[in-house]
Amino acid sequence: MPRDPRHDILFEPVRIGPKTLRNRFYQVPHCTGFGSEKPGSHARFRGMKAEGGWAAVCTEEALVSVDSDFWPVVSTRFWDDDDLRNLALMCDEAHRFDSLAGIELTHGGAHARAREARVPAVAPSQLASDYDHFVVPKTMEPDDIRRVQADWVRAAKAAREAGFDIVYVYGGHSYLPLQFLSPFYNRRTDAYGGSLENRARFWLETLELVREAIGEDCAIAVRLCVEALGPAGVELEEGLAYIRLADHLVDLWDVNVGSITDWSKDSGASRFFPEGYQLEWTGRVREATAKPIVGVGRLTNPDRMAEIVRSGAWDLIGAARPSISDPFLPSKVEEGLYGEIRECIGCNICISKAEWGSHIGCTQNATAGEEYRRGWHPERFERAENADRDVLVVGAGPAGMECAIVLGKRGFRRVHLVDAEAEIGGCMRWIPELPGLGEWARVVNWRRIQLEKLRNVEVIVGERLDTDGVRTYGAELVVVATGAHWAGDGRTYLTHDPIAGADASLPHVLTPEQVMLEGKVPPGKRVVVYDGEGYFTAAGLAEKLAGEGFAVELVTCLDKIAPVCDETLEGPLLRQHLHDRGIGQRAGVVLSGIEPGRVAATDEFGEALELEADAVVLVTQRLSDEALYLELRADEDALRSEGVEALYRIGDCVAPRIVAEAIFDGHRLAREIDAENPAVPLPYRRERISLESAALP
Ligand code: ADP
Ligand code: SF4
C-alpha cells in the first residue's frame, strides 16, 4: 500500500541552525538507564531508531559538572575524554543512517544528589529539593555560576568533537536553568533573581557562551517545560515570555509540560492522558517564536501528526515512548505500512525499567534495550536452523502470541498457536477492560495483525489441549504458554499461607478473573478489594466495582496503595483518582479472616480491626498454570514416541510476571530456539569496566 499523500508533509526536511533534519520525526532526549555505564548498548539503541527513520536521535541527560550527578539513578556524564570517546559511538551510529545526533547537556542543580562525587548539590537558592527532600543544596556563588557555565561550554565543545549535531542547553524537568527561571526555586536578590530578566540571566548567558563556542557548527536546542502544571517551574505565560527573550540564541525549541516532581504529567500514562495531550499548552508556543518547534504527546497516529504540522503548531513530531515501542515508526509511515506500526500503550514500563531496573525495556517491543547485548533487531529475523520442524504453541496470551510471531518470522514450516478460549489474548482479553487501560489492547491488536499476515502461522481458538492432545498433535517442538491465575485463597508475600475463610468457590470471595471473565457479581453492597501485589489490578477492580455502584474499600498489606504504580508515574494521580471516586484506601492492613459480612485484620502496628464487607476480591498473588507442562515433562518417553523432540515453557506459566516480561520470554525463546539448549537463555554481552593498566596508581 503506498503512503497516504496526506503524510507527505512529515517527510519534508527541516533546517535547524546550521543543520538539516531529513524529515520531521525527532526522537527527543529520554532516559534509558544505560548512561555512562553501558555506552555500547546506548549507541545501538539510538542507532536502531536512526535506522528506523528518526531524523534526529538524542541522548538522555548528559551531566556537565561533577555536582550535577544523579547517582544512584544512572545517567550519562560528559566530564572527560573517555566520555567523549564513548558518546562518539552513538554519533557514528546515528550518522550511519543519515540522522542527526543530539546531546542533552544539562545540570541537575538542586536535584543532583551527587552521592558518588560526595559534593553538595548547587542551586540558585538553598531550598530543599522537591525531587529528593533529603538534598539541601548550596546557594550558588558567582564563582559557582561561572564554573558551571564553563563546564557547559567545555562539554559543548567536546560534544562537537564527538560528532554531535544538536547541543542542548537543557532546562526541562526543572533542571538548573529552569531552577534559575522559576520563582519556586529562585529566591535570589542579586542580578540572577527577582525580575524575569534576572531569573532568565543564567540560562541566557549560558546560551550565549555555548552559541559563541559551537553555534556555527552545531544546532543549539533548548528544552523548556512551558507549563509546570504544578509549582515546580513556570506557568505558560512566563514560559512564552522566556521564549521571546531567548529566541535569538536558539535554533530549536523543544517544549513540553510538567516538572521533575510532576513528571507524571509529561510522560503521561494512557490511563490519564490521551494521545496529543500536551498540545493544550505546547500548541501555543508558536505565539512566541517563528523558530522550529518540537513537541511530544505519545503520538503514534500519522494523521494526527500531519495535522499538527499543517496547523503550524509544531514543525517536528517529537517522541520518546512511540520511538521505543516502534523504532521503525517513521519508515513504516513512509512506506505506507500503517498496520505494522507497533503503537505504544502508555504503560510506562520503559520508565520503570530505566529508572528502577537495570536499563530500559518495553512492553510492546521486546527488543528494546537488547540491540547491543543480544544483537536483536526489531524488524529482522534469521531463518532458524530447525525451521523445517512443526511447532505447537499452547496458549495465546502475550507470551504465546509473541513466540508464535517470532517463530513465524524465523521461517518455521508450520506454527500452530492454540488457545482454549474463543479469543486470543490470554490475560490481555480482560486487562484492557479495567478502567483507563483501554490502550493496552494494542498488545493484542498489533499481534493479531501479525498473526494474520504470517502464512506459516495458524491460530486455533476454542480448543483446550490436554497431555494426549499435545503429544499427538503432530508437532516436533512444543511450547507451553498456559499462563497463570490469581490465587483464590488469599496467600500473600507476607504470610505465604491462605487467609482463614478465603475460598473463591464461595459466593462472597472473588478473584479478578471471576469478576472480569466469569461475570461473578459480589453479593451485597460493601466490597473489600485486598491487594498484595501493588500494581494495576486491584486499583482497576476497585474503580470498576465502584463505577458499578458498590461501596468499595481498597485495602493493602503493602505500605502504600499501588506502590508499583509509582515506578510507572501513575501512583499519585491514581490514588487521587480513586479518592475522587469515593473509594476508601487503607495501607498496612493485613487480612486474617474472611466471613460473610466481615473481615478480620490487623493494622500496621499489629492492632486488631474489623471491616464490614459483603464480599472480598482477592488480588494477592498469581500462580502459574503449569500442570500441563509438568505432566508432559514427567513422561519424556511418551513425548518422544509421538515424535516430540523438545518441550519448553514460557511466560507466566514459568512464573507470573508483568506483561513486558511474558512477551520478552516468548520472544527470547523463539529467537534462540535453534541454540544448543533453548530453555536456558544464551549469555548476553556485558559491558564491564576494565582498567587500562594492570598497575594501580
Ligand atoms: P502469558 O502472560 O504467559 O502469555 P496468559 O495467562 O495471558 O499467559 O495466557 C495463557 C493462555 O493460555 C490463555 O489464553 C489460556 O486460555 C490458554 N491456555 C491455558 N491452558 C490451555 C490449554 N490446555 N490449551 C489451550 N490453551 C490453554
Ligand atoms: Fe510505550 Fe509501555 Fe513501551 Fe514505554 S513500555 S514505550 S509506555 S509500550
Side-chain angles (χ1 to χ4, degrees):
M1 190 165 96
R3 172 171 91 220
D4 185 330
R6 281 180 309 157
H7 303 151
D8 289 352
I9 196 168
L10 298 171
F11 296 92
E12 293 169 351
V14 178
R15 191 151 182 86
I16 46 167
K19 300 284 177 178
T20 301
L21 294 154
R22 66 182 148 125
N23 62 37
R24 296 183 188 269
F25 292 92
Y26 187 101
Q27 182 246 288
V28 295
H30 73 79
C31 58
T32 59
F34 294 133
S36 297
E37 276 63 31
K38 296 178 184 169
S41 298
H42 184 243
R44 271 286 141 74
F45 177 74
R46 305 292 182 191
M48 195 61 78
K49 303 190 200 202
E51 184 183 344
W54 298 88
V57 291
C58 299
T59 64
E60 60 201 319
E61 57 194 15
L63 306 165
V64 295
S65 306
V66 168
D67 53 16
S68 60
D69 197 9
F70 276 90
W71 194 260
V73 171
V74 173
S75 50
T76 293
R77 304 110 185 259
F78 209 158
W79 296 349
D80 58 31
D81 285 352
D82 290 340
D83 292 324
L84 187 155
R85 207 177 47 239
N86 286 344
L87 285 163
L89 289 173
M90 168 190 155
C91 298
D92 295 345
E93 283 290 293
H95 295 157
R96 206 149 67 87
F97 300 104
D98 295 329
S99 297
L100 302 184
I103 183 160
E104 179 196 334
L105 289 185
T106 196
H107 189 298
H111 310 313
R113 303 180 178 109
R115 284 195 191 155
E116 186 188 77
R118 299 181 74 173
V119 291
V122 293
S125 302
Q126 191 163 64
L127 296 163
S129 164
D130 49 312
Y131 170 67
D132 182 340
H133 76 279
F134 213 45
V135 177
V136 181
K138 173 197 175 193
T139 301
M140 287 174 88
E141 297 174 59
D143 280 353
D144 292 314
I145 291 178
R146 282 189 286 277
R147 173 179 55 79
V148 169
Q149 289 175 331
D151 280 344
W152 219 301
V153 171
R154 177 201 44 74
K157 286 182 178 165
R160 175 181 58 187
E161 202 180 319
F164 283 102
D165 309 282
I166 304 164
V167 173
Y168 273 82
V169 182
Y170 189 98
H173 298 107
S174 28
Y175 287 170
L176 186 62
L178 193 96
Q179 289 166 26
F180 271 94
L181 189 66
S182 164
F184 180 69
Y185 297 100
N186 185 344
R187 306 290 166 86
R188 298 176 79 97
T189 52
D190 63 4
Y192 292 92
S195 65
L196 173 69
E197 284 71 17
N198 279 3
R199 283 182 278 119
R201 191 178 309 280
F202 172 83
W203 208 338
L204 294 174
E205 282 177 358
T206 312
L207 273 165
E208 273 165 18
L209 291 167
V210 169
R211 176 168 279 283
E212 204 175 289
I214 60 156
E216 305 242 310
D217 307 316
C218 300
I220 311 289
V222 162
R223 192 169 223 207
L224 166 69
C225 300
V226 287
E227 165 61 63
L229 297 172
V234 290
E235 290 178 3
L236 183 60
E237 292 308 328
E238 202 156 41
L240 298 184
Y242 172 73
I243 290 175
R244 290 188 185 99
L245 273 182
D247 204 34
H248 61 293
L249 300 168
V250 176
D251 298 318
L252 172 64
W253 285 105
D254 177 346
V255 287
N256 64 341
V257 299
S259 63
I260 200 156
T261 34
D262 278 310
W263 188 15
S264 57
K265 296 170 187 165
D266 174 29
S267 212
S270 59
R271 183 196 279 282
F272 301 116
F273 299 92
E275 180 166 353
Y277 58 97
Q278 295 207 11
L279 272 158
E280 182 178 345
W281 302 279
T282 56
R284 285 195 49 205
V285 172
R286 183 59 77 211
E287 294 170 21
T289 179
K291 295 268 176 78
I293 299 170
V294 57
V296 292
R298 222 179 57 253
L299 289 156
T300 56
N301 178 340
D303 291 346
R304 188 79 193 279
M305 295 175 189
E307 261 169 41
I308 292 169
V309 174
R310 222 170 275 121
S311 75
W314 306 341
D315 304 276
L316 303 169
I317 302 300
R321 289 169 294 172
S323 73
I324 301 166
S325 177
D326 197 339
F328 280 67
L329 187 152
S331 340
K332 289 175 183 176
V333 176
E334 189 166 22
E335 291 164 33
L337 299 170
Y338 301 110
E340 289 285 314
I341 297 172
R342 202 173 33 243
E343 288 181 283
C344 168
I345 68 169
C347 63
N348 284 353
I349 282 296
C350 48
I351 290 167
S352 138
K353 282 186 169 287
E355 293 280 304
W356 306 104
S358 74
H359 67 230
I360 198 161
C362 170
T363 302
Q364 278 283 59
N365 175 12
T367 69
E370 306 298 337
E371 301 83 355
Y372 170 84
R373 67 173 192 171
R374 287 191 159 92
W376 289 358
H377 189 290
E379 306 297 321
R380 274 207 294 274
F381 299 87
E382 277 172 27
R383 187 179 163 79
E385 282 174 24
N386 49 356
D388 58 349
R389 309 294 207 280
D390 288 350
V391 193
L392 166 66
V393 181
V394 188
M401 289 188 293
E402 180 77 6
C403 188
I405 290 165
V406 177
L407 291 170
K409 291 184 176 177
R410 296 203 63 198
F412 274 87
R413 186 173 58 194
R414 257 191 302 265
V415 179
H416 277 199
L417 176 62
V418 180
D419 200 287
E421 301 299 330
E423 285 286 331
I424 61 169
C427 59
M428 277 309 211
R429 285 179 300 133
W430 61 268
I431 289 172
E433 300 289 318
L434 291 170
L437 298 190
E439 233 176 68
W440 292 28
R442 291 173 172 181
V443 167
V444 184
N445 296 343
W446 182 79
R447 286 170 179 79
R448 182 178 290 117
I449 292 171
Q450 297 292 307
L451 290 164
E452 278 166 10
K453 275 171 121 174
L454 287 160
R455 309 193 84 119
N456 53 345
V457 181
E458 196 175 325
V459 178
I460 296 132
V461 288
E463 188 170 340
R464 179 171 294 279
L465 291 172
D466 57 14
T467 43
D468 240 25
V470 172
R471 285 189 200 115
T472 59
Y473 198 87
E476 284 107 351
L477 307 179
V478 172
V479 181
V480 179
T482 45
H485 63 276
W486 285 95
D489 62 6
R491 74 181 75 177
T492 63
Y493 72 97
L494 210 54
T495 61
H496 290 185
D497 284 321
I499 297 171
D503 176 353
S505 65
L506 298 169
H508 63 287
V509 180
L510 302 91
T511 66
E513 290 98 342
Q514 288 177 339
V515 175
M516 297 303 294
L517 291 172
E518 296 170 23
K520 185 169 170 182
V521 178
K525 178 125 178 79
R526 299 158 306 174
V527 179
V528 162
V529 177
Y530 184 49
D531 188 14
E533 184 202 42
Y535 193 22
F536 62 84
T537 309
L541 283 162
E543 188 178 345
K544 175 186 155 62
L545 292 169
E548 290 168 7
F550 292 96
V552 181
E553 192 149 22
L554 177 53
V555 175
T556 180
C557 47
L558 293 150
D559 291 344
K560 195 185 208 184
I561 295 289
V564 180
C565 291
D566 287 5
E567 295 185 15
T568 57
L569 309 181
E570 295 163 291
L573 293 174
L574 179 62
R575 289 184 283 272
Q576 183 68 47
H577 182 79
L578 296 175
H579 174 79
D580 294 347
R581 270 143 198 80
I583 296 163
Q585 301 177 53
R586 281 181 197 252
V589 171
V590 181
L591 257 59
S592 50
I594 300 174
E595 288 171 23
R598 62 178 280 280
V599 296
T602 49
D603 71 11
E604 62 178 313
F605 304 111
E607 303 282 347
L609 70 116
E610 214 175 88
L611 304 171
E612 291 184 353
D614 302 313
V616 178
V617 182
L618 296 170
V619 191
T620 56
Q621 84 148 76
R622 284 182 297 156
L623 298 166
S624 293
D625 288 323
E626 58 184 354
L628 177 67
Y629 170 83
L630 292 177
E631 281 165 31
L632 290 165
R633 178 58 77 210
D635 195 346
E636 304 270 349
D637 290 343
L639 280 174
R640 260 192 303 276
S641 68
E642 295 294 346
V644 178
E645 295 168 10
L647 168 73
Y648 308 108
R649 62 168 158 168
I650 54 173
D652 294 339
C653 167
V654 183
R657 287 163 282 175
I658 57 172
V659 175
E661 296 308 334
I663 289 178
F664 173 84
D665 204 20
H667 192 103
R668 203 280 311 157
L669 182 78
R671 284 266 183 188
E672 299 179 351
I673 196 121
D674 45 357
E676 199 178 317
N677 180 8
V680 179
L682 289 172
Y684 49 83
R685 191 182 287 147
R686 290 167 61 206
E687 298 190 57
R688 275 169 291 193
I689 296 161
S690 78
L691 299 177
E692 278 163 17
S693 153
L696 295 173

